[in-house]
Amino acid sequence: MSASRSAALLAAVAASALLAACQRDAAPSAPAATAATAQPAATPAATDPAALQRAVETLMAQQYGDAFDATQRCWKFHAKVEGGVDDDYCMRAGAPELVDLQGQRRLYVAAHNLADAQGYVYGHVSSGLMGAFVLAPDARGGWTLVAGDKQIPSGSSGYCGCDDAQLVRIGADTMAWKFASGGTGQGITVSIYSLIAPIGDKIRNLSAIPQIAEDDQDSEYSFAIDDSDTAKPFFPLRVTKRTQQPGGNSAQTEHVVEFDPARQVYALPAAK
């Protein structure tokens, strides 16, 4: 072989080796290119039921501890209720609800104690217990708590009345859990409506509307939310009072109740 042909062959071999080395060095950059086209991590798996269930279970463990009763499917929790009686409860989460308001997505989770859970006994003075939580998407593709209260006392005899709470819209960007709770003692029934809602990073009960008042056992109240103007910060309530009269007849009156922003409550006007 001539010197010129030998030099050319050696140059070709060297070029091939250099190309292979460059390809080997470039290989690790391939995953980075794939990651650049993947779905952003900040997007939560909001429509994935399994992901939402994991978020709920994580929330319940964070709020009520690790004492999960697998048989009754609830979290054991000892509550010290201000102005009430300390009691043990077993808390269960309801189905999470996704809501979009004013372009913001939120996950609403309500929990309630099991009044008839085995091993838990309540007297008449023992309230039931509700937990109310609002979560927002986080930067990791999951959910983070933005407002919550794990022990809202309600009702009596260990029953909160909140196990069938309905999530309703009460303002342009405000949702609330609506339910009624109370009890009967010495023949007198008292029941009041609750509207459990996030106000900033706090959870508050915005209702002082009775269902049955202690001093008026012949009347019952109900209300509808007037959402005819969806831009209002808080919608008015149309409260109906039905009173039983002798002979089986009933009288009906109606009030429009606006939200009182100073007191942060819906309340009937004071009797004159």
Side-chain angles (χ1 to χ4, degrees):
M1 182 181 295
S2 67
S4 61
R5 290 182 61 192
S6 177
L9 179 59
L10 289 173
V13 171
S16 297
L18 180 60
L19 177 60
C22 290
Q23 289 174 337
R24 287 195 300 270
D25 292 341
S29 66
T34 302
T37 59
Q39 187 178 13
T43 302
T47 58
D48 179 358
L52 292 183
Q53 184 58 34
R54 288 193 298 271
V56 171
E57 291 173 359
T58 298
L59 170 71
M60 293 295 287
Q62 289 172 344
Q63 295 295 316
Y64 298 109
D66 297 326
F68 180 67
D69 185 332
T71 301
Q72 301 187 90
R73 297 184 298 111
C74 54
W75 273 262
K76 299 177 182 179
F77 176 66
H78 182 77
K80 296 182 178 181
V81 179
E82 184 177 355
V85 178
D86 291 4
D87 276 306
D88 292 321
Y89 295 90
C90 215
M91 304 297 295
R92 179 183 293 174
E97 298 185 66
L98 278 172
V99 177
D100 285 291
L101 286 175
Q102 306 290 337
Q104 293 186 329
R105 173 161 287 188
R106 294 291 182 264
L107 184 64
Y108 290 77
V109 180
H112 65 276
N113 76 293
L114 304 184
D116 57 353
Q118 185 176 0
Y120 298 81
V121 179
Y122 303 103
H124 177 70
V125 297
S126 297
S127 67
L129 209 66
M130 179 185 186
F133 310 99
V134 183
L135 296 88
D138 63 25
R140 300 181 303 276
W143 296 93
T144 188
L145 185 68
V146 293
D149 191 333
K150 64 183 178 183
Q151 56 177 55
I152 304 169
S154 178
S156 62
S157 302
Y159 177 60
C160 68
C162 59
D163 53 340
D164 59 352
Q166 178 186 9
L167 189 64
V168 296
R169 187 179 181 186
I170 62 168
D173 58 358
T174 303
M175 304 292 294
W177 285 279
K178 173 189 174 184
F179 62 94
S181 63
T184 300
Q186 299 181 342
I188 302 296
T189 297
V190 176
S191 181
I192 190 167
Y193 289 104
S194 290
L195 287 170
I196 306 297
I199 301 296
D201 61 352
K202 306 295 183 182
I203 297 290
R204 301 185 183 278
N205 183 3
L206 306 184
S207 171
I209 305 294
Q211 184 184 44
I212 300 175
E214 182 178 4
D215 59 356
D216 186 1
Q217 294 290 287
D218 295 325
S219 299
E220 183 170 353
Y221 295 83
S222 62
F223 70 83
I225 300 167
D226 182 356
D227 60 357
S228 56
D229 182 358
T230 58
K232 296 191 71 169
F234 291 94
F235 305 149
L237 305 182
R238 296 190 176 276
V239 181
T240 300
K241 176 183 179 182
R242 294 181 177 86
T243 303
Q244 293 296 321
Q245 295 182 325
N249 297 321
S250 63
Q252 180 172 304
T253 57
E254 293 186 355
H255 296 278
V256 175
V257 178
E258 298 282 355
F259 182 70
D260 184 337
R263 298 169 55 202
Q264 294 193 329
V265 70
Y266 289 98
L268 291 172
K272 296 180 180 180

